Amino acid sequence: MLCGLLLTPTRTALAQFTIEELEMHVTARGLEPIVRLIPVRSDIDSTQQVRVTVKDWVRDSAGGNQTLDLGSHPRSCGGRLEVFPQTFQLAARATEYVRVTYTPASERDPGCWTIVLTETVRPPRPTMQLAASVIITTLTGVKVYVHAPDERAAGEVISADVEVFREPRDRMRPTADSVTVRRVAVRFANTGTAHLVVKPTAEIRNERGDVVARLTGADAYITPDAFRDIELRLPSLARGRYVATVLLDFGASEITAAQVEFTVS
């Protein structure tokens, strides 16, 4: 007996546009409004309807982002930031511009941050009417950083340790044999008023003081009054005692460092 599976053909209607720069940085000086443009470029051959909204956002200690209602965050730009238009038609292969206007709160504006979200409202209809269709919408955010003219970069290490855990040898087979993994974990706090980009590096030395490994971690972005958990995975090491020296460069005149002693048994 032959068994068959009947698949219903589908067609995907792509609602797609591109925004090249996903960050906007401005410095609040004086009381004059600051105006910037966000180019929104269509990548398809159909017309799209695009909606623009403004939200607050926060970054968690692992680097993930979450959007919030506008005005709900203490450092929200709130009503001082406006966008125009809030809805528009994006023609095929065309480019439209969203105007972003920020009005400083005072001559000593403390700065703020928010995000401008653009999303498709009514995607183009499929050109072929099949039994089923899939509609894909595009949601893109441009983070807006308003910097205070006298902002100050500062930070400090809250804690540093070497963590040991087990993970599957083959990530595609979680039930497979596991291996021991070590990583240097540093919790770093932004104690200044500037947005920080921390570039972590580390040297691992053995008991004789020889450098056995040099590590470079991914850039860590930290908003003012926030902290970030920075992790650098250690390579396989022979048994013995080691010292990990972590350097955290965030653009200040001095580099912050943390040192951790650990044993591989």
Side-chain angles (χ1 to χ4, degrees):
M1 181 175 64
L2 296 177
C3 296
L5 176 65
L6 177 62
L7 298 177
T8 302
T10 63
R11 182 174 179 81
T12 300
L14 292 179
Q16 186 177 355
F17 56 80
T18 297
I19 297 176
E20 298 292 345
E21 298 293 335
L22 299 181
E23 291 185 1
M24 178 182 294
H25 294 264
V26 299
T27 300
R29 291 189 174 92
L31 296 174
E32 290 296 318
I34 303 169
V35 180
R36 297 288 187 271
L37 298 177
I38 300 176
V40 182
R41 187 185 73 242
S42 170
D43 293 331
I44 61 174
D45 296 322
S46 303
T47 299
Q48 304 171 69
Q49 183 178 352
V50 180
R51 176 170 56 205
V52 184
T53 56
V54 181
K55 296 277 190 179
D56 288 342
W57 64 273
V58 291
R59 183 186 291 117
D60 62 28
S61 63
N65 297 299
Q66 178 184 2
T67 58
L68 308 169
D69 291 336
L70 183 64
S72 61
H73 190 270
R75 298 297 298 272
S76 170
C77 295
R80 303 192 302 280
L81 188 138
E82 299 179 344
V83 296
F84 180 85
Q86 295 183 348
T87 60
F88 60 91
Q89 294 288 336
L90 183 59
R93 304 293 174 179
T95 299
E96 297 289 344
Y97 294 87
V98 176
R99 186 173 72 233
V100 179
T101 304
Y102 179 77
T103 303
S106 66
E107 291 188 357
R108 296 186 62 82
D109 193 298
C112 60
W113 57 90
T114 189
I115 188 168
V116 177
L117 296 172
T118 52
E119 61 180 323
T120 49
V121 179
R122 189 173 59 239
R125 299 180 65 86
T127 55
M128 296 177 59
Q129 295 299 318
L130 299 177
S133 63
V134 177
I135 302 297
I136 298 177
T137 61
T138 302
L139 175 64
T140 303
V142 177
K143 291 179 178 176
V144 180
Y145 297 85
V146 178
H147 300 273
D150 57 350
E151 66 181 13
R152 177 178 58 90
E156 65 179 17
V157 174
I158 299 176
S159 63
D161 202 357
V162 170
E163 299 176 342
V164 183
F165 57 97
R166 304 285 294 181
E167 72 175 19
R169 189 183 303 273
D170 185 349
R171 292 180 180 273
M172 301 300 295
R173 299 169 55 213
T175 59
D177 294 340
S178 60
V179 294
T180 300
V181 176
R182 294 176 174 84
R183 66 188 177 196
V184 182
V186 177
R187 175 162 288 188
F188 184 83
N190 183 345
T191 59
T193 57
H195 293 267
L196 300 183
V197 181
V198 182
K199 299 180 180 298
T201 57
E203 281 189 349
I204 313 300
R205 295 179 180 269
N206 60 19
E207 291 181 284
R208 298 188 302 274
D210 301 326
V211 176
V212 296
R214 287 187 172 89
L215 311 174
T216 300
D219 291 353
Y221 295 76
I222 317 177
T223 55
D225 301 323
F227 63 86
R228 182 73 182 270
D229 293 322
I230 298 172
E231 299 172 349
L232 296 96
R233 183 165 174 147
L234 293 169
S236 297
L237 298 169
R239 292 182 179 181
R241 295 180 58 83
Y242 297 89
V243 175
T245 302
V246 183
L247 302 179
L248 302 161
D249 185 355
F250 54 92
S253 57
E254 297 181 354
I255 296 176
T256 300
Q259 195 170 79
V260 182
E261 296 183 5
F262 65 100
T263 301
V264 176
S265 57

